[in-house]
Amino acid sequence: MLKEGLKLEEEYTVEKQHLASYVGSGEVDVLATPCLIAFIENACLKLVNKYIEGGLISVGYRVDVKHLAPAPLNSKVKVRVELVKIFRNHLVFKAEAYINDKKIAEGEHERVLVSKEEFLKRV
């Protein structure tokens, strides 16, 4: 059962396809902000999927992330997420990302629980 306070930590390796120079979001060989956000969304999704069933899925709704420091190619990025608020079908997560003990990102991500069948009807 989903409840406030649930946490998850995931580790991601910065690969070529995650670089700003590769995805077109910058000119340098460091973790692209869109890829950092994808890491955060992925960690939140994994947490939610441990607890939902019955045809429900979660979809991304809002992202507010500060990208504080660069992450070079091949670095290991730890993403920590915590479910901090549940309001109706909205789930709000606090997110942080680190390389070793250095914080490289912080923010919030919001997901919404929906019926997969109903969602696909709207596509």
Side-chain angles (χ1 to χ4, degrees):
M1 179 171 167
L2 281 171
K3 60 183 179 181
E4 294 174 3
L6 293 172
K7 298 177 184 180
L8 181 75
E9 181 175 292
E10 287 287 310
E11 185 174 272
Y12 302 88
T13 300
V14 178
E15 298 175 358
K16 181 180 177 181
Q17 69 265 22
H18 303 127
L19 299 178
S21 59
Y22 186 86
V23 300
S25 69
E27 299 175 8
V28 290
D29 292 338
V30 296
L31 177 61
T33 302
C35 294
L36 170 64
I37 290 169
F39 291 168
I40 290 168
E41 283 196 277
N42 182 263
C44 292
L45 179 64
K46 284 182 179 183
L47 177 60
V48 171
N49 284 348
K50 288 182 174 185
Y51 297 95
I52 63 172
E53 54 187 41
L56 287 178
I57 60 170
S58 69
V59 294
Y61 179 73
R62 181 181 62 85
V63 178
D64 181 10
V65 173
K66 294 178 186 173
H67 196 161
L68 304 171
L73 181 64
N74 298 320
S75 59
K76 304 289 186 195
V77 176
K78 287 186 183 174
V79 173
R80 297 178 186 148
V81 297
E82 178 181 358
L83 179 56
V84 294
K85 184 176 181 181
I86 300 174
F87 178 72
R88 295 186 187 146
N89 63 331
H90 288 251
L91 310 172
V92 180
F93 297 86
K94 175 184 172 189
E96 297 176 328
Y98 294 84
I99 296 177
N100 299 318
D101 291 332
K102 181 179 181 180
K103 186 187 288 187
I104 64 163
E106 63 185 12
E108 283 189 348
H109 176 46
E110 189 171 347
R111 299 188 70 78
V112 177
L113 294 174
V114 297
S115 160
K116 182 177 182 179
E117 183 179 333
E118 292 300 316
F119 181 81
L120 292 175
K121 285 179 185 177
R122 295 176 49 199
V123 174

